[in-house]
Amino acid sequence: MASVVSAGEAIARIAYLSSDVILAVQPTSSSSHDFSDPLRSYAARRKPGLIAKDGPEVLTLRHNVDPLLSAFQPLRSGKLLSVTASSLVLLDSISHLYKLAQYPIVLHIAVGSDFSEITAVRQSGFIFLHSETIQEAQDTAISAHALAIKTGKGVIHFFDPENSAADDPIPAEGRGLLQALLDLDSNLSNRRKQDESVALYVDEGRRANITEASEEDGKFHGSNITLAAGQPIENTSTEGGSSIGSSVRGSSADSRPTVTSATSVSSLNTRLVTSDDILGTINAIWSQIKLAAGRSYHVFEYSGPSDAQSALFLFGSTGLFVDELREAKPSDGFANLGLITVRLYRPWSGSKLAEAIPPSVSRIAVLEQIRRKTTKWGPVLLDILTSLKTGPSKGSTPTIVGHQLGFIERATVRQALRGIFLNLNSQSPIQNLEVGNHEKPSSIPDGYTLEQPRVEGAYMKILNQVFGERLFVANRLEAADTGISATLAVNPEYGFGSLLARIDRRKRFLEEVQRASVSNEFVTETPKAWLLKWVVSIGNRAEENLLAPEVISRLSNDGSKLASDLLISKSLFFNESKWLIGSDAWAYDLGNSGVHYVIASGANVNMLIIDSQPWSERAAADSVRRKKDIGLYAMNFGNAYVASTAVYGSYTQVLEAMIEADRFEGPSVVLAYLPYNNEHDSPLTVLQETKKAIDIGYWPLYRWNPSNEENGLPKFSLDSERIKKELEEFLRRDNYLTQLMNRHPKLSANLSESYGTEVRALQKRKAKDAYNTMLESLYGAPLTILFASDNGNAENLAKRLGNRGKARGLKAVVLAMDDYPLEDLPGEENIVMITSTAGQGEFPQNGRAFWNSVKENGELDLSLIKFAVFALGDSHYWPRKEDKIFYNKPGKDLDTRIAFLGGKRLTDIGLGDDQDPDNYQTGYSEWEPKLWQALGVDKVEGIIEEPPPITNEDIKIHSNFLRGTIADGLGDTSTGAIAASDQQLTKFHGTYMQDDRDLRDERKAQGLEPAYAFMIRCRLNGGVATPSQWLQMDSISSTYGNETMKLTTRQTFQFHGVIKTKLKSAMRGINKALMTTIAACGDVNRNVMCSSLPTKSAFHRDVHTISSKISNHLLPSTTAYHEIWLKDDEDQKTQVAGDAIVDQEPLYGPTYLPRKFKITIAIPPHNDTDVYAHDIGLIAIKDNDGRLEGFNVLVGGGMGVTHNNKKTYPRTGSMMGYVDAEKVHIVCEKVMLVQRDNGDRKNRKHARLKYTIDDMGVKLFRSLVEELLGYQFEQPRPFEFSSNIDTFGWQKDELGMNHFLMFIENGRVEDTADFPMKTGLREIAKVHKGEFRLTPNQHLCLSGVADDDLPQIQAILKKYKLDNLQFSGLRLSSSACVAFPTCGLAMAESERYLPELITKLENCLEENGLRQDSIVMRMTGCPNGCARPWLAEVAFVGKAYGAYNMYLGGGYHGQRLNKLYRSSIQEEEILDIMKLLLKRFATERHAGERFGDFVIRIGVIKPTTEGKTFHHDVAEEESDGE
């Protein structure tokens, strides 16, 4: 068997056998390193590996090129990867380490004389293994690869090559042991799963996990770790676990018992890898090594007497000390000193350390080879102190003394040991005593030195030849600044900063020269004359540079002090050619940040970027490693000169590019291709690679000079025959733009804002030209109608006006304002503009660009056009007199501006006011006839009556029982949207179409449709889900949604960000969990709510059964849901939960209900469901045995309101009476049927049950229901509510089961860096045997936890911080709807803002002693009331972005509506008001008085006695006019 002579060779061999890809990181591509020679030898011979049968791919990377970035692409492709490098790479790669730790990667790290880099990254999540000898290096390398494969975690194996330099050669370990330990058949398929993540600089959420078997009874019984086929090895980890620095950050080790065998296995569970898993796995690996090879390894290695009194814990290079201790004489004081070293450094196991130390040891000297300390105490010392001082103790705790190991020679080791021993055993030992020299010997190299490869000399020579003395390279290697490391000084980003400073210095120098040119301090007059000539030449680069040598010569001959002072900066007489160099070899531009800063600055700076990566199939395929096309990136800025050159492709073109770059006034980027595999490649090799790249179009040669356009020359010059597709597309775009600008030079400012808007302008032009062509055959005057609309009113009005115009013989065109080509405006004959009002008097989204262009373009001549404007607004929307200007402001501004630019009014502006009897129609009906009269078409006869607008009722009745064209729309791949009518119908199926409003403006600017996606809402009876359903919902949110779940105020799951192509799959996934989404939205009865009630399980079960009964009884009967969403491959309906019924709707009929219908059940004394706020509210009544007897029935509650429309209001439910439990589902049916037949189907704002009841009266409504029932309601039974918030924490029910109600702020379940909530809940769902109860306040109750399972659940809660209830009472009582960015109705932020607002109030709560007081605060982004704000003690309802209406006085029990206190206030005013009220509440309240009652008692607000008085007696009176 071959022998191995070095640790590097041993490790390189194991890495070669155990990897698909090896990243060999070294100072240069051609230099030798501890691993490089063996790896080159193996690769050259194509020796087969165990993983890669033809041998792994060995990629050589330099230290300075962010080498670990190259690890992601192979890892995500499912390949096993290892890295060989020195410790110098670790700190620069720290941003990657945290993510790489979750992949099965192995980093073999050669440490020099300083272990600081190892300790600096110890908390990165990697497993750390340490070896000292050649044999240990080989065995530890094997262990590292086996451990990575089995756990899925990254492993760092570190060692000091010098420590084993004198070791004897060892035999190379055979393949058999390595193959057995890797156990490829059992482990490899799982670890080779591809990862589709593409994020580089953010955490994409990947976590290493382990799969284990569970028994039929669902109880966890451990897992098997299979090392070789059929050989289960017991997990030998013990309890106690990790106390410090666990690789699972922020957690302690999992101390669950493990069992080596499992019976009756029926399923597999996947969970995160824990510290105990790692300890168990590594111990099993070492057990196999001992069995096969007889070599033992432990987490901590102890050598020395078993009865030693003192021990030395050495973290560093141990060789010298081991030898000296072995040769110690009995007379040496340290002869009986024990030696402790660490094999498994992370995860750190305090219990294993305690086991390794003999009980006799009373003193421990900790010796750390860490020279760059960042803390007073060494990290290893802290680990040991924490383990031994705070961990379980078997006896007295030893004295621990820290020491720092400096540079030490072999001859002084004995002296060093003696000094350590004496210090350790002294009565007052010195902590942090340094042993050895702090300064390293000069013979030890300081890392690696940067060198410019010889092959790059060609470009540098050209620069010197072309620019000579005036060449200034800011980041050249030989010019490192004093006090700045060479690595930083040559960085292009740093160099750019120094260039800016130099530019500023030259400006000051010019001033100095100007003063000197008129000074009398020179010895002769000659310098003054030449200086004056030079000053006059400033701005003429050639003249400046021609005169510069003459000036310098005259100053040199003068001899005066002033001349000497000027000569100090003599290079500044030249108008320098300023350059930055970017090179993979020595001036790496990380993330192209230097390029970005140069271009974005607009500074007159040139960059030469040398790309040395050879063209290859891998380079083209690796989207992560592959550099962005810097040339295309720079050209898109529009202000930079760009050239793509190759000195071995066209030397002349390189010269031309450099000269043009220097002449260009602005940033210049010259891309220089120089492909080589290592720095010593021959020019021939470079030439061959260059020709290949140019020939295939991988590296096109071109020059892009924006300044040529001023001279009528083409901006782009192609200097090679082929061009990349991406560049071709860019040029095609630019050509279109140029033609447009040449045709319309006056409009160039508008057309050149961005390439996205330019493309979009072309789209507008084509659309309008096509429309005009279609209308050419028509007679009559032209009429262009432009609209700006957010909610559809202005758009619908414009389309209706267009149809009426056509009926009168006009050639009418209807467009959104932003879709209209602005350059056509001066040529219009008649133009009508209709706009609504958004936000704080702003234009709607689809009219803002048009308005900005009209407002800012003073050259528009509109003297030939005739125009009219109609504006839609609300005169009471901004009630304060100072805000009256916002009423119809967009329309008024537009009317004034068009007139100012010369337009002639067809008629005065029309103002539509939502406060008028018929809303905006009142003003419109007066304005439209005047328009027809002005156009001379007011007396046209024979006009066919236009059809009425399509309403929701029309859509429903023609939908064929909710089918519509949904199926066709889902199959249309040309858009992410569905038809408008289908958008109404999909609500019945449980999904809304939305778009990401955060991206709306940007996508519009780019000419893209909105980022459409769908919200899916589940139907979850009573808010109760099983653990398996929770896991399915979690999976759906990650697979199809935006990786978050929303627990809604209606006790169900809601998913956002589901794109159309994934919508059907998501629906099927929900159905597979035995859940559905049908009737979760729409004009039907929706999800039936039920109190969570953790303390009375039997009663809750009774009530929940009724909620399910009601829900199922009132479900729609259409089979459309099954047809559209659940068809299988044979196109058959998939039956999941019950049989499909023929298409008829016995309860609903073909038009269903007039509006949505909501039912909720509350269980006194907790009104957590807000029972008064729904169409039907059921109050559960107990019998004498504590079981369900029946319900008090409330009807007519509802929350939806329209701002300032006093015809709309919230309402609390009216009492009908009592009914028995077995009858209540029929009562709900009859109430719903009365609403079906009597609700308003013409005005959807007046269609809810609350208006039906108020219109006909409670008495009449009750009689109609009783008539259908055939009996009367009984008198209501007594009940009492005490709150409508949740009761957090652990509670035990009457059956002895435990329930934990946890706080989930605003119901958003997601993982963040600080709070992995979603992961924690997923882990709980894997082991929980009870229920998940979603609360109506958006929180979560873990129900039905047995006492035996309590410790496990509590441990997971603690691990993921889910047990944290240390929040203010205000925060615990708060609730918010989704609002931005997904809700299309939102006017302001809600969910994303309320937590911030509460944070800003919490100091005030603390100061006034109110931290623990519950105050119900709710926020919504619009007045539709999803978070039931109208019942809160204090509520904020969005009015415009950043502005809210404030409401006070709601009942703490949810029994009383609040009332408007302030309108349209922003944060500063909100905080001022709340702080004053909170201070008064703290000092003036009565005992037990709630905040809502308090503000009424002190007269701040008046109570709302019923919905119809909601708008009466408000604290801030609204103004009556504009």
Side-chain angles (χ1 to χ4, degrees), residues 1154-1175:
R1155 280 289 262 130
K1156 57 190 171 187
F1157 197 85
K1158 300 178 179 181
I1159 301 176
T1160 186
I1161 305 175
I1163 305 175
H1166 301 293
N1167 184 21
D1168 54 345
T1169 63
D1170 274 330
V1171 72
Y1172 294 98
H1174 300 80
D1175 296 273

Side-chain angles (χ1 to χ4, degrees), residues 824-852:
D824 284 1
L825 187 59
E828 293 290 351
E829 186 174 336
N830 302 303
I831 188 162
V832 174
M833 287 162 278
I834 301 176
T835 178
S836 57
T837 306
Q840 199 162 1
E842 300 164 2
F843 265 81
Q845 194 76 32
N846 57 357
R848 290 179 187 173
F850 175 86
W851 166 243
N852 288 336

Side-chain angles (χ1 to χ4, degrees), residues 400-621:
I400 300 170
V401 182
H403 299 75
Q404 299 298 317
L405 178 59
F407 293 93
I408 192 168
E409 300 290 339
R410 176 174 292 276
T412 60
V413 175
R414 176 177 292 270
Q415 179 182 348
L417 278 171
R418 188 179 296 117
I420 294 170
F421 183 79
L422 291 174
N423 184 55
L424 178 64
N425 289 280
S426 67
Q427 290 185 350
S428 300
I430 301 172
Q431 290 286 359
N432 280 332
L433 180 67
E434 185 164 7
V435 179
N437 296 320
H438 183 74
E439 300 295 331
K440 67 180 180 180
S442 57
S443 58
I444 299 178
D446 185 10
Y448 65 93
T449 56
L450 292 170
E451 295 180 3
Q452 187 174 17
R454 178 175 54 85
V455 291
E456 288 188 9
Y459 288 108
M460 302 309 297
K461 287 178 181 177
I462 294 174
L463 284 174
N464 282 304
Q465 290 169 2
V466 173
F467 304 113
E469 285 185 278
R470 66 186 194 89
L471 174 66
F472 181 81
V473 178
N475 62 326
R476 62 191 186 280
L477 267 173
E478 63 274 18
D481 292 9
T482 303
I484 302 296
S485 70
T487 305
L488 178 60
V490 298
N491 180 280
E493 192 172 343
Y494 177 85
F496 178 54
S498 67
L499 265 184
L500 293 180
R502 189 168 182 83
I503 291 171
D504 187 62
R505 172 69 184 95
R506 190 169 194 257
K507 291 179 180 177
R508 298 196 304 272
F509 180 73
L510 294 179
E511 295 172 356
E512 294 171 9
V513 172
Q514 287 174 339
R515 290 193 295 270
S517 66
V518 295
S519 171
N520 295 320
E521 297 179 29
F522 292 107
V523 174
T524 67
E525 292 296 311
T526 303
K528 290 174 60 176
W530 283 97
L531 286 175
L532 190 58
K533 288 182 182 180
W534 184 83
V535 169
V536 172
S537 73
I538 296 299
N540 185 328
R541 181 179 302 180
E543 189 71 15
E544 283 182 69
N545 294 323
L546 182 65
L547 291 172
E550 296 292 338
V551 173
I552 293 171
S553 174
R554 301 309 190 276
L555 290 173
S556 300
N557 294 331
D558 185 80
S560 65
K561 182 180 184 301
L562 180 56
S564 299
D565 291 340
L566 292 175
L567 287 172
I568 293 174
S569 303
K570 62 182 180 181
S571 62
L572 296 179
F573 280 105
F574 293 95
N575 192 321
E576 294 173 329
S577 183
K578 302 174 185 67
W579 289 82
L580 294 170
I581 310 296
S583 165
D584 288 346
W586 57 277
Y588 187 70
D589 188 14
L590 180 62
N592 298 315
S593 58
V595 174
H596 172 79
Y597 286 131
V598 169
I599 299 173
S601 73
N604 189 14
V605 172
N606 309 306
M607 288 198 75
L608 176 70
I609 302 174
I610 301 173
D611 192 334
S612 60
Q613 184 177 36
W615 176 84
S616 66
E617 291 182 3
R618 179 183 180 278

Side-chain angles (χ1 to χ4, degrees), residues 1056-1221:
H1056 293 271
V1058 182
I1059 61 174
K1060 187 170 75 172
T1061 55
K1062 295 183 178 181
L1063 190 56
K1064 186 176 287 189
S1065 298
M1067 292 290 206
R1068 289 178 174 179
I1070 292 169
N1071 211 260
K1072 286 178 182 178
L1074 298 181
M1075 295 167 64
T1076 185
T1077 66
I1078 189 169
C1081 321
D1083 298 341
V1084 288
N1085 176 60
R1086 300 189 178 185
N1087 194 51
V1088 178
M1089 297 167 63
C1090 174
S1091 289
S1092 58
L1093 192 69
T1095 56
K1096 300 290 182 183
S1097 284
F1099 190 35
H1100 176 270
R1101 187 163 53 250
D1102 294 343
V1103 178
H1104 180 261
T1105 300
I1106 294 296
S1107 72
S1108 298
K1109 186 176 182 180
I1110 296 170
S1111 180
N1112 294 332
H1113 181 67
L1114 300 182
L1115 271 177
S1117 300
T1118 177
T1119 61
Y1121 185 86
H1122 290 265
E1123 282 182 23
I1124 294 170
W1125 307 109
L1126 306 178
K1127 286 181 180 179
D1128 57 23
D1129 295 336
E1130 282 72 39
D1131 217 37
Q1132 300 297 313
K1133 299 183 185 68
T1134 303
Q1135 305 301 318
V1136 177
D1139 296 326
I1141 308 171
V1142 295
D1143 272 344
Q1144 56 179 332
E1145 291 288 7
L1147 288 179
Y1148 292 103
T1151 55
Y1152 297 85
L1153 299 180
R1155 280 289 262 130
K1156 57 190 171 187
F1157 197 85
K1158 300 178 179 181
I1159 301 176
T1160 186
I1161 305 175
I1163 305 175
H1166 301 293
N1167 184 21
D1168 54 345
T1169 63
D1170 274 330
V1171 72
Y1172 294 98
H1174 300 80
D1175 296 273
I1176 298 179
L1178 302 176
I1179 301 170
I1181 305 298
K1182 283 191 291 188
D1183 61 19
N1184 295 331
D1185 296 325
R1187 303 302 292 266
L1188 178 64
E1189 180 179 1
F1191 299 91
N1192 288 342
V1193 181
L1194 298 166
V1195 298
M1199 293 286 101
V1201 175
T1202 299
H1203 275 315
N1204 297 96
N1205 185 344
K1206 294 183 180 181
K1207 298 174 184 177
T1208 66
Y1209 49 84
R1211 187 184 191 278
T1212 52
S1214 300
M1215 180 64 71
M1216 291 286 102
Y1218 169 85
V1219 295
D1220 292 333

Side-chain angles (χ1 to χ4, degrees), residues 1182-1313:
K1182 283 191 291 188
D1183 61 19
N1184 295 331
D1185 296 325
R1187 303 302 292 266
L1188 178 64
E1189 180 179 1
F1191 299 91
N1192 288 342
V1193 181
L1194 298 166
V1195 298
M1199 293 286 101
V1201 175
T1202 299
H1203 275 315
N1204 297 96
N1205 185 344
K1206 294 183 180 181
K1207 298 174 184 177
T1208 66
Y1209 49 84
R1211 187 184 191 278
T1212 52
S1214 300
M1215 180 64 71
M1216 291 286 102
Y1218 169 85
V1219 295
D1220 292 333
E1222 63 271 14
K1223 299 178 182 178
V1224 73
H1225 65 294
I1226 301 299
V1227 172
C1228 291
E1229 173 196 317
K1230 302 310 179 187
V1231 172
M1232 190 181 79
L1233 292 182
V1234 174
Q1235 164 65 358
R1236 180 195 69 184
D1237 297 338
N1238 295 276
D1240 189 344
R1241 291 183 180 269
K1242 294 182 179 180
N1243 180 4
R1244 286 182 66 81
K1245 291 184 179 181
H1246 189 254
R1248 288 291 298 274
L1249 177 60
K1250 59 183 177 180
Y1251 300 118
T1252 305
I1253 292 177
D1254 278 348
D1255 288 347
M1256 67 171 55
V1258 174
K1259 185 175 180 180
L1260 176 57
F1261 185 87
R1262 181 190 288 112
S1263 67
L1264 292 176
V1265 175
E1266 290 174 339
E1267 181 180 342
L1268 293 176
L1269 286 172
Y1271 56 84
Q1272 294 184 339
F1273 288 98
E1274 298 180 28
Q1275 286 297 311
R1277 304 292 170 85
F1279 66 94
E1280 183 178 358
F1281 287 126
S1282 60
S1283 78
N1284 68 346
I1285 65 168
D1286 291 332
T1287 304
F1288 297 96
W1290 283 104
Q1291 300 178 76
K1292 190 179 285 286
D1293 65 22
E1294 79 281 12
L1295 303 177
M1297 301 299 283
N1298 301 286
H1299 308 259
F1300 181 73
L1301 209 160
M1302 68 183 71
F1303 174 71
I1304 298 182
E1305 191 155 35
N1306 299 320
R1308 181 64 63 183
V1309 178
E1310 62 182 340
D1311 279 343
T1312 66

Side-chain angles (χ1 to χ4, degrees), residues 1206-1473:
K1206 294 183 180 181
K1207 298 174 184 177
T1208 66
Y1209 49 84
R1211 187 184 191 278
T1212 52
S1214 300
M1215 180 64 71
M1216 291 286 102
Y1218 169 85
V1219 295
D1220 292 333
E1222 63 271 14
K1223 299 178 182 178
V1224 73
H1225 65 294
I1226 301 299
V1227 172
C1228 291
E1229 173 196 317
K1230 302 310 179 187
V1231 172
M1232 190 181 79
L1233 292 182
V1234 174
Q1235 164 65 358
R1236 180 195 69 184
D1237 297 338
N1238 295 276
D1240 189 344
R1241 291 183 180 269
K1242 294 182 179 180
N1243 180 4
R1244 286 182 66 81
K1245 291 184 179 181
H1246 189 254
R1248 288 291 298 274
L1249 177 60
K1250 59 183 177 180
Y1251 300 118
T1252 305
I1253 292 177
D1254 278 348
D1255 288 347
M1256 67 171 55
V1258 174
K1259 185 175 180 180
L1260 176 57
F1261 185 87
R1262 181 190 288 112
S1263 67
L1264 292 176
V1265 175
E1266 290 174 339
E1267 181 180 342
L1268 293 176
L1269 286 172
Y1271 56 84
Q1272 294 184 339
F1273 288 98
E1274 298 180 28
Q1275 286 297 311
R1277 304 292 170 85
F1279 66 94
E1280 183 178 358
F1281 287 126
S1282 60
S1283 78
N1284 68 346
I1285 65 168
D1286 291 332
T1287 304
F1288 297 96
W1290 283 104
Q1291 300 178 76
K1292 190 179 285 286
D1293 65 22
E1294 79 281 12
L1295 303 177
M1297 301 299 283
N1298 301 286
H1299 308 259
F1300 181 73
L1301 209 160
M1302 68 183 71
F1303 174 71
I1304 298 182
E1305 191 155 35
N1306 299 320
R1308 181 64 63 183
V1309 178
E1310 62 182 340
D1311 279 343
T1312 66
D1314 298 325
F1315 189 15
M1317 178 203 308
K1318 193 164 182 274
T1319 297
L1321 290 171
R1322 184 166 58 246
E1323 294 304 307
I1324 288 175
K1326 292 174 183 176
V1327 299
H1328 183 39
K1329 302 175 186 133
E1331 298 171 336
F1332 285 86
R1333 297 183 189 174
L1334 283 60
T1335 81
N1337 289 309
Q1338 303 176 287
H1339 306 303
L1340 182 65
C1341 182
L1342 297 181
S1343 292
V1345 181
D1347 287 344
D1348 291 344
D1349 299 323
L1350 200 56
Q1352 184 183 23
I1353 296 294
Q1354 287 176 330
I1356 299 175
L1357 288 171
K1358 183 176 182 180
K1359 177 179 179 180
Y1360 292 98
K1361 306 177 188 175
L1362 292 166
D1363 60 348
N1364 182 16
L1365 299 175
Q1366 300 305 308
F1367 302 103
S1368 66
L1370 179 64
R1371 192 177 296 274
L1372 292 171
S1373 306
S1374 66
S1375 184
C1377 70
V1378 176
F1380 287 108
T1382 53
C1383 179
L1385 300 175
M1387 301 172 181
E1389 292 282 5
S1390 180
E1391 178 188 324
R1392 299 192 294 193
Y1393 174 58
L1394 181 58
E1396 295 181 17
L1397 180 64
I1398 292 174
T1399 298
K1400 293 175 180 179
L1401 287 170
E1402 282 177 327
N1403 283 339
C1404 177
L1405 294 172
E1406 292 276 5
E1407 292 169 1
N1408 291 287
L1410 297 175
R1411 177 176 172 79
Q1412 305 303 323
D1413 286 72
S1414 172
I1415 300 174
V1416 179
M1417 176 183 284
R1418 294 175 181 171
M1419 177 177 282
T1420 57
C1422 78
N1424 287 294
C1426 292
R1428 302 186 289 277
W1430 316 116
L1431 293 171
E1433 295 181 284
V1434 54
F1436 299 97
V1437 178
K1439 195 81 178 288
Y1441 200 85
Y1444 299 84
N1445 281 0
M1446 181 178 183
Y1447 297 82
L1448 294 174
Y1452 184 74
H1453 308 156
Q1455 81 286 5
R1456 182 181 61 241
L1457 296 170
N1458 52 32
K1459 193 177 290 291
L1460 178 65
Y1461 178 67
R1462 289 289 184 270
S1463 177
S1464 308
I1465 59 175
Q1466 298 182 342
E1467 183 180 275
E1468 184 178 357
E1469 194 171 352
I1470 290 172
L1471 294 175
D1472 289 342
I1473 293 170

